Amino acid sequence: MTSLVPEPALKSFLEEATARYQVALKSSTAAVAYLKKRGLSEDSAASFRLGYVESPLPGHEVARGMLAVPYLTRAGVVSVRFRRLGDGDGPKYRSVPGDPPRIFNANALLVPSDHIAICEGEFDALAANEAGIPAVGIAGVSAWKGYFARCFKGYRAVYILADQDDKGQGLEFAEKVAEQIKNARISPMPSGHDVNSYVLENGADALLNRLEIKR
């Protein structure tokens, strides 16, 4: 199995890339507007070290003009994925070739809490965290690996927030994950919504109430 811990030289490269793209975000009107449209606060963008690929480092040229979404851990940056700004041509997301699937926002696993949420996608995890729910993101059903399940032992409740703005992939993802995690609770979003759009339209309290979580 490919190691999930990058070599020191790669970790240094990822830190350099994250720092560069984070600085570039501040001067990108389009990127800042996109994040605002998605309901993400400046504090969250800074905390998660989101960036913008204006001047890509070697190997990231195909991500020029995209958002940079680093995967942060206690040990530092272990990966970066890229997200297209809004609609347009080309893939919505890009990953570095050969990079193994990982858990986005693994730091949520360090938060003292008896519950945690699993979302399909980084921006849904960001939205849940903004709402006050410790949440991680998985980059699609094929990115879930069975060994991830061990990270969720000991929680009173593991909420799997299922998208319903697709053709059933969200529920497929939720059911696959729930099969492998004790105390999993599938919580589908209303039809036509993912977590991000639901919070945008209804507010953070609506998501908390839906899961019966008290602040």
Side-chain angles (χ1 to χ4, degrees):
M1 183 179 72
T2 304
S3 173
L4 294 178
V5 180
E7 295 292 331
L10 177 55
K11 284 184 66 178
S12 178
F13 171 81
L14 291 170
E15 173 58 37
E16 179 186 357
T18 297
R20 174 184 292 196
Y21 303 152
Q22 193 175 8
V23 170
L25 175 66
K26 298 176 183 178
S27 59
S28 172
T29 303
V32 170
Y34 176 78
L35 293 177
K36 185 176 181 180
K37 181 180 178 181
R38 297 292 297 260
L40 196 66
S41 69
E42 291 184 15
D43 286 345
S44 283
S47 176
F48 286 95
R49 302 189 66 188
L50 302 186
Y52 176 71
V53 187
E54 181 179 49
S55 178
L57 287 177
H60 293 170
E61 290 85 356
V62 295
R64 186 187 300 274
M66 301 180 79
L67 286 173
V69 184
Y71 277 49
L72 309 179
T73 71
R74 185 166 48 182
V77 185
V78 296
S79 183
V80 181
R81 289 189 80 221
F82 305 99
R83 209 287 182 195
R84 188 181 67 208
L85 293 179
D87 298 326
D89 298 327
K92 182 184 293 185
Y93 284 94
R94 288 187 181 274
S95 299
V96 176
D99 196 23
R102 302 177 189 274
I103 296 174
F104 173 71
N105 192 32
N107 287 333
L109 296 164
L110 305 176
V111 176
S113 175
D114 67 353
H115 61 268
I116 194 166
I118 301 176
C119 303
E120 185 182 5
E122 295 89 350
F123 273 86
D124 281 348
L126 291 171
N129 276 278
E130 280 248 332
I133 303 169
V136 302
I138 305 296
V141 63
S142 63
W144 173 263
K145 301 302 176 184
Y147 53 82
F148 290 168
R150 70 185 70 167
C151 297
F152 302 95
K153 291 182 178 180
Y155 286 99
R156 176 185 59 81
V158 179
Y159 300 101
I160 305 174
L161 308 186
D163 297 347
Q164 290 217 83
D165 62 344
D166 49 30
K167 297 180 180 179
Q169 299 96 320
L171 286 175
E172 178 188 354
F173 167 81
E175 290 167 357
K176 178 179 180 179
V177 175
E179 288 176 355
Q180 301 176 40
I181 295 179
K182 292 182 179 179
N183 298 327
R185 303 181 186 181
I186 296 176
S187 180
M189 295 297 100
S191 180
H193 282 287
D194 59 16
V195 179
N196 191 193
S197 68
Y198 180 71
V199 172
L200 272 173
E201 184 172 305
N202 299 280
D205 285 343
L207 181 61
L208 292 168
N209 292 336
R210 191 174 186 83
L211 303 181
E212 298 185 356
I213 294 175
K214 296 182 180 179
R215 286 190 184 274

